Amino acid sequence: MLHKLNFWKNRKPNSSEQVYTIDTIKKNPIPEHIAIIMDGNGRWAQKRALPRIAGHHEGTKVVRKITKLANSLGVKVLTLYAFSTENWKRPKSEVDYLMKLPEEFLQTFLPELIKENVQVRVMGMKDSLPEHTFRAVQNAINKTSDNDGMILNFALNYGSRNEIVQAVNSIIADQKSGILKEEEVTEDIFSTYLMTQELSDPDLLIRTSGVVRLSNFMLWQLSYAEFWFTETLWPDFSEQHFLEAIDEFQKRARRFGGV
Ligand code: FPP
């Protein structure tokens, strides 16, 4: 009952009062790959006179909720922007907390992810993560590597420009060593050098908190994605918002540059 009350209290409809259900959403094509910029944790906390990290803690619960829902809808890949290469500029105490979040999340949620056949992946500069963060995510990657269900892809210490420059450097190195011929660089080959590697490009990008920008997130991969923005802060983001975003996606005509 309490859960139900909170659900309605937290619900902030984006554009309509319509209630979406999994069954009706499933009647139309579900985006294969959904990417989310989870924004607004700090403001959520500040509005409640709480420290910013309380917002990140609350945001982790939403990650769990939305992962479960995406999996049950049959989404193939869910990419979540958890920490950008620019986020190191935040106060040390906040960065330290953000680097503990994967452990906190995986400590309680990993058994559920394993059971639900989810594969955990991480894209970003893993080598410069603190040892404890790296260990936690690597453990989750290993323990879910035999799963073949939804890919839960955390963008952690990720920046798209950095990713593209790294790809270019790897291509140059492979050309020098003869692994790759100069004339072989096509869009498809280039894509395999990105951190998303064999993953399909996102079909739908969601950003919360009323901010309307990409913030160095998947610049190449989002070329043809549908964008959906909401004023709702990430800790208030509900299952209804997620279904509403997919409903809007299903109504859009994707032309990929055609007519
Ligand atoms: C942006 O909000 C959010 C982040 C930088 C962190 C996002 C991380 C989570 C939601 C939790 C991740 C969970 C796992 C399992 C790794 P902000 O702090 O910039 O908000 P503001 O714009 O209101 O300040």
Side-chain angles (χ1 to χ4, degrees), residues 62-258:
V62 181
V63 169
R64 180 180 190 169
K65 210 164 60 178
I66 298 303
T67 300
K68 280 168 97 91
L69 176 57
N71 196 24
S72 59
L73 283 167
V75 171
K76 299 272 186 292
V77 186
L78 180 67
T79 295
L80 303 177
Y81 206 5
F83 193 90
S84 77
T85 44
E86 287 73 37
N87 286 153
W88 296 106
K89 293 181 206 148
R90 295 186 175 210
K92 185 176 179 306
S93 56
E94 185 174 342
V95 169
D96 287 350
Y97 185 73
L98 284 167
M99 285 298 147
K100 281 193 198 124
L101 276 182
E103 279 154 288
E104 191 184 297
F105 173 80
L106 291 164
Q107 239 163 33
T108 49
F109 197 28
L110 185 56
E112 242 174 275
L113 292 172
I114 296 171
K115 208 173 85 204
E116 287 173 12
N117 196 26
V118 170
Q119 311 173 53
V120 176
R121 304 258 181 101
V122 171
M123 66 172 188
M125 303 212 297
K126 280 189 261 182
D127 292 352
S128 37
L129 290 172
E131 172 68 24
H132 63 95
T133 314
F134 180 80
R135 243 185 297 120
V137 295
Q138 199 52 52
N139 178 49
I141 292 168
N142 295 342
K143 293 234 166 86
T144 59
S145 65
D146 288 336
N147 289 354
D148 57 10
M150 188 181 83
I151 293 171
L152 175 60
N153 183 34
F154 286 108
L156 196 57
N157 197 17
Y158 173 85
S160 188
R161 287 184 174 187
N162 162 271
E163 174 191 37
I164 290 170
V165 170
Q166 266 196 24
V168 171
N169 284 325
S170 302
I171 287 172
I172 294 169
D174 283 356
Q175 285 176 337
K176 275 191 184 147
S177 65
I179 295 175
L180 187 70
K181 293 197 193 88
E182 257 176 55
E183 59 276 15
E184 269 174 6
V185 184
T186 59
E187 287 189 12
D188 284 343
I189 298 272
F190 187 80
S191 292
T192 64
Y193 280 84
L194 295 172
M195 289 168 179
T196 33
Q197 293 181 341
E198 87 289 2
L199 299 183
S200 63
D201 288 342
D203 303 289
L204 171 64
L205 170 82
I206 297 173
R207 183 168 190 157
T208 58
S209 91
V211 175
V212 184
R213 56 174 171 258
L214 278 181
S215 304
N216 202 14
F217 188 51
M218 301 183 96
L219 302 178
W220 172 280
Q221 297 91 334
L222 288 169
S223 296
Y224 287 103
E226 295 293 329
F227 289 8
W228 190 82
F229 298 100
T230 174
E231 294 288 324
T232 305
L233 305 175
W234 177 251
D236 289 331
F237 190 79
S238 67
E239 283 103 337
Q240 277 297 302
H241 292 112
F242 192 67
L243 295 175
E244 184 181 350
I246 298 177
D247 177 72
E248 169 71 28
F249 169 87
Q250 290 171 337
K251 287 178 184 149
R252 294 193 194 166
R254 301 183 79 201
R255 290 192 292 272
F256 299 95

